[in-house]
Amino acid sequence: ETGVTQTPRHLVMGMTNKKSLKCEQHLGHNAMYWYKQSAKKPLELMFVYNFKEQTENNSVPSRFSPECPNSSHLFLHLHTLQPEDSALYLCASSQDVGGRTGELFFGEGSRLTVL
Amino acid sequence: AQRVTQPEKLLSVFKGAPVELKCNYSYSGSPELFWYVQYSRQRLQLLLRHISRESIKGFTADLNKGETSFHLKKPFAQEEDSAMYYCALNTDKLIFGTGTRLQVFP
């Protein structure tokens, strides 16, 4: 499969649960991103990875824990979340960080609901 | 501060009418600006970038440094243009605006 793939597409979890979101890209890109998309807010950049190394943590609470084992895979581990963390979590990739062309390729997102 | 502002949450027009989606930015450096689009049930994707000075699907956008704007325009809207449109500023990361929903009625 080509492009950026995210699983699961939908996730419902309680505040005490631990779950993970997965992102995989088959584009040969070096940079991967997690964005949060909430209603009535801009897309919020959460984390940036370049060649598996985290280059940006945009003041994200520690209950969100990213993991990038290689340039093709990115995880977002979730634990003790709050209802206000309910949102669409988008993964994206680009050839390089900042994207010399500014083009990010997005996945379809994982819709998270925290009860 | 680096910021992208899209003042309109919703823009509704009839088919064939001109469209202008507004975008203003705040950035002290030399800006690189983009428009992304998200059609219903599809993923967010790049529409056009200012550096290319291209027209995509009839849309154009001109960077106006004096007014710090990068408005998206199309002379004759089509129903298939209905979507969410996001303006984005590239610094060392992409900063997005809140988006404008364009509805084109038949």
Side-chain angles (χ1 to χ4, degrees):
Chain A
E1 187 174 346
T2 58
V4 180
T5 304
Q6 290 186 242
T7 55
R9 293 292 309 281
H10 300 273
L11 178 63
V12 179
M13 59 187 289
M15 289 190 284
T16 58
N17 292 158
K18 289 185 179 181
K19 298 286 184 183
S20 296
L21 306 181
K22 179 183 176 182
C23 177
E24 188 172 354
Q25 59 98 359
H26 301 274
L27 300 169
H29 289 164
N30 299 316
M32 296 187 77
Y33 310 77
W34 280 116
Y35 279 88
K36 177 182 178 182
Q37 188 174 33
S38 307
K40 303 177 184 178
K41 286 187 176 181
L43 275 166
E44 299 172 64
L45 179 64
M46 300 175 72
F47 301 104
V48 181
Y49 277 81
N50 188 35
F51 290 100
K52 304 186 300 177
E53 299 299 321
Q54 187 180 121
T55 59
E56 178 105 16
N57 178 335
N58 205 22
S59 303
V60 180
S62 59
R63 57 186 184 269
F64 294 91
S65 175
E67 178 189 359
C68 189
N70 54 61
S71 294
S72 300
H73 294 84
L74 184 64
F75 296 89
L76 188 62
H77 303 301
L78 317 168
H79 61 98
T80 58
L81 295 192
Q82 305 298 311
E84 58 264 29
D85 296 322
S86 299
L88 182 68
Y89 289 86
L90 292 172
C91 175
S93 70
S94 66
Q95 185 61 53
D96 303 289
V97 169
R100 275 174 292 180
T101 62
E103 183 166 12
L104 266 59
F105 292 79
F106 284 87
E108 294 178 290
S110 293
R111 173 74 60 187
L112 173 66
T113 302
V114 182
L115 301 176
Chain B
Q2 302 162 356
R3 188 170 58 246
V4 175
T5 303
Q6 293 180 250
E8 304 144 326
K9 292 184 180 178
L10 174 66
L11 184 62
S12 299
V13 301
F14 286 101
K15 177 182 173 181
V19 168
E20 182 178 68
L21 290 88
K22 292 184 168 51
C23 172
N24 288 90
Y25 66 91
S26 174
Y27 182 52
S28 58
S30 182
E32 292 181 51
L33 287 147
F34 307 84
W35 277 98
Y36 277 74
V37 61
Q38 188 169 26
Y39 301 102
S40 179
R41 297 189 183 87
Q42 294 188 30
R43 63 190 69 197
L44 191 60
Q45 59 187 294
L46 178 67
L47 178 63
L48 57 80
R49 50 177 76 95
H50 94 267
I51 197 169
S52 300
R53 304 183 68 81
E54 56 202 345
S55 173
I56 302 293
K57 299 183 179 182
F59 284 97
T60 59
D62 292 319
L63 176 61
N64 186 322
K65 291 185 179 180
E67 295 183 357
T68 60
S69 68
F70 187 57
H71 303 327
L72 183 68
K73 300 177 183 179
K74 185 170 182 176
F76 307 104
Q78 303 299 314
E79 289 178 69
E80 55 265 29
D81 296 329
S82 297
M84 278 293 294
Y85 291 82
Y86 294 91
C87 184
L89 169 68
N90 192 20
T91 58
D92 59 347
K93 57 193 176 189
L94 265 185
I95 299 171
F96 287 86
T98 49
T100 298
R101 180 170 296 283
L102 174 64
Q103 290 182 329
V104 182
F105 294 110

